[in-house]
Amino acid sequence: MNSAENCLEYLKNTYPPDAVVIGRSSGGLKFLETIRGQAWTRTLPVIITSDHITHGLLKEIQEKGGDDIYPSDFSSGDLITRLDYFVKRRHYKAMQQTKASILDVKIPLWKRFIDVTTTGLALLLLSPLLIIVAILIKLDSKGPVIYLSKRVGAGYKIFSIYKFRTMRTDADKLIKNMGSLNMYTKNTETKQTIGLCETCAGIGTCQQQLYLDGEMVCEKMYLTEKKEKVAFMKFQNDPRITRLGKFLRNSSIDELPQLFNIFLGDMSLVGNRPLPLYEAEKLTTDEYIERFAGPGGLTGLWQVTKRGKGKKDMTEEERIQLDIEYARNFSFKYDMKIFFMTFPALLQSENV
């Protein structure tokens, strides 16, 4: 057995290493060809050492998929730094592949069958109610009957969700000044002095200036405030909601037009709530991206859990973890459990 074969056999017994350093004289090029042909070692970083480094050798190693080359005595180059780079690069590629697999959501046939049959029947039976509500909305306030909102569902797919309008037509403008009313706002205080962060206040001038929206701000303070921003937005006694809208929300009638979304395949009856774009973009980190691996739904685990708690508040983190739990464990039995928990939960008033 030659040196390349010895190395491959050793790899099988000790895999996975961070990288392989092998001499050209020990069959390094043959070894490189061998492992690049194996699916399980195709991305393994390989460094070749040689007594004589020529342009032709560099080109050959590159064509064979080698990652780097060093003199046999390591008289030049920082090997430790390069190895650290290869380890981080491989981890990054693995995380990207993991995210890609998480976001490749496949809706089971049983789930799609239930969605189409139930929503088709429901739309037929509820058509008189839908027409009456549409007329009442037109009489209650100015504006369209149906509110369209861009949402992010399963696999981070963006679509327009249908809801009966329950807010004033200027609701999007009002939300900018309502941060302090957010139910998910964190109870944190940032020490500020005359527009400066605590560090700069002791000096009397900002040491990290940032030009933002036409004015100079403290970069450290800006980053702190940005970090403290929460992903979800919900309000008690929301001033944007119309008189009829409050009833429609508490009874969940405002969500009935989403039956069309379910029938068309944008979402499902049971799943993680599709999020507005500004909320979804805050949950794309490695820690939270998995919540998008579950089907989007009209009702879901966190909704029935929250309403089941009555008046007790649910934190942002609790909501995210419930979404992740559903994405990992959803099944026919789990969906049926959530579906039938939804009906008693709807009887509990919730001012959102």
Side-chain angles (χ1 to χ4, degrees):
M1 185 179 291
N2 59 38
S3 298
E5 292 174 338
N6 284 332
C7 289
L8 188 60
E9 188 65 28
Y10 180 76
L11 273 181
K12 291 180 180 179
N13 297 325
T14 61
Y15 192 82
D18 292 328
V20 173
V21 180
I22 185 171
R24 179 190 180 192
S25 60
S26 300
L29 296 180
K30 178 64 177 177
F31 171 78
L32 182 58
E33 286 183 337
T34 302
I35 69 167
R36 288 296 179 256
Q38 306 284 329
W40 59 285
T41 56
R42 192 166 293 150
T43 61
L44 181 65
V46 177
I47 298 173
I48 304 294
T49 63
S50 177
D51 293 331
H52 303 285
I53 299 177
T54 64
H55 179 73
L57 178 60
L58 288 171
K59 184 177 180 180
E60 184 179 7
I61 291 175
Q62 184 179 27
E63 290 175 348
K64 293 180 184 297
D67 294 278
D68 215 336
I69 184 171
Y70 277 83
S72 298
D73 59 0
F74 298 101
S75 57
S76 63
D78 188 340
L79 179 61
I80 301 301
T81 299
R82 289 294 287 169
L83 286 174
D84 182 61
Y85 162 74
F86 290 137
V87 170
K88 291 179 179 178
R89 184 185 68 176
R90 196 175 188 198
H91 173 73
Y92 173 77
K93 288 183 176 180
M95 289 305 304
Q96 292 301 105
Q97 292 174 353
T98 300
K99 284 186 178 182
S101 64
I102 286 175
L103 297 182
D104 184 21
V105 181
K106 305 293 185 185
I107 304 299
L109 289 178
W110 62 262
K111 194 172 183 64
R112 187 71 188 120
F113 175 78
I114 293 174
D115 290 342
V116 172
T117 54
T118 55
T119 55
L121 180 61
L123 286 170
L124 183 62
L125 296 176
L126 294 173
S127 55
L129 174 62
L130 297 177
I131 294 173
I132 292 173
V133 172
I135 295 173
L136 292 176
I137 291 174
K138 291 297 292 184
L139 295 174
D140 181 60
S141 61
K142 294 181 180 180
V145 171
I146 298 296
Y147 174 71
L148 297 180
S149 176
K150 292 295 183 183
R151 296 297 174 98
V152 179
Y156 214 82
K157 175 187 174 184
I158 300 175
F159 65 96
S160 293
I161 200 170
Y162 309 129
K163 298 184 71 172
F164 280 128
R165 182 177 58 83
T166 60
M167 290 188 176
R168 295 163 45 179
T169 54
D170 60 349
D172 291 338
K173 297 178 181 178
L174 292 175
I175 197 172
K176 295 179 180 180
N177 301 318
M178 295 174 57
S180 61
L181 301 177
N182 188 4
M183 292 166 60
Y184 291 112
T185 299
K186 300 175 183 178
N187 294 321
T188 57
E189 295 184 358
T190 303
K191 294 183 179 180
Q192 302 179 23
T193 304
I194 57 171
L196 302 177
C197 66
E198 187 177 13
T199 301
C200 298
I203 304 174
T205 182
C206 182
Q207 303 299 300
Q208 296 176 252
Q209 292 186 334
L210 176 67
Y211 191 74
L212 184 67
D213 295 333
E215 60 181 60
M216 298 302 298
V217 299
C218 178
E219 183 177 8
K220 185 174 180 181
M221 184 184 297
Y222 167 76
L223 293 175
T224 299
E225 292 174 350
K226 183 178 180 181
K227 182 179 180 181
E228 294 302 328
K229 286 184 178 179
V230 296
F232 301 119
M233 301 284 284
K234 283 212 175 278
F235 307 94
Q236 287 184 332
N237 301 316
D238 194 333
R240 300 172 299 164
I241 300 175
T242 63
R243 292 170 299 175
L244 178 62
K246 183 176 181 181
F247 167 75
L248 295 178
R249 286 189 165 211
N250 286 340
S251 62
S252 293
I253 292 177
D254 66 312
E255 297 185 351
L256 288 181
Q258 292 169 50
L259 293 173
F260 288 102
N261 286 113
I262 298 170
F263 188 80
L264 295 173
D266 295 327
M267 50 193 281
S268 183
L269 272 173
V270 179
N272 289 336
R273 196 77 179 112
L275 299 178
L277 300 183
Y278 64 88
E279 292 184 6
E281 68 181 6
K282 296 179 176 66
L283 301 179
T284 56
T285 60
D286 295 343
E287 184 179 2
Y288 296 138
I289 190 67
E290 194 176 355
R291 68 90 55 201
F292 296 105
L298 180 63
T299 185
L301 182 59
W302 83 262
Q303 287 97 332
V304 297
T305 302
K306 175 172 180 140
R307 283 174 171 165
K309 285 183 172 182
K311 297 297 183 180
K312 183 179 179 181
D313 292 337
M314 177 179 288
T315 66
E316 179 187 27
E317 183 65 26
E318 286 176 323
R319 174 175 169 174
I320 296 172
Q321 292 307 319
L322 285 172
D323 285 346
I324 293 174
E325 179 183 336
Y326 176 78
R328 291 174 177 173
N329 302 307
F330 80 90
S331 63
F332 176 78
K333 183 178 179 181
Y334 206 13
D335 275 20
M336 290 300 99
K337 178 181 178 181
I338 293 173
F339 183 75
F340 288 111
M341 286 174 64
T342 300
F343 292 102
L346 288 175
L347 299 177
Q348 299 183 34
S349 174
E350 180 186 14
N351 183 16
V352 295

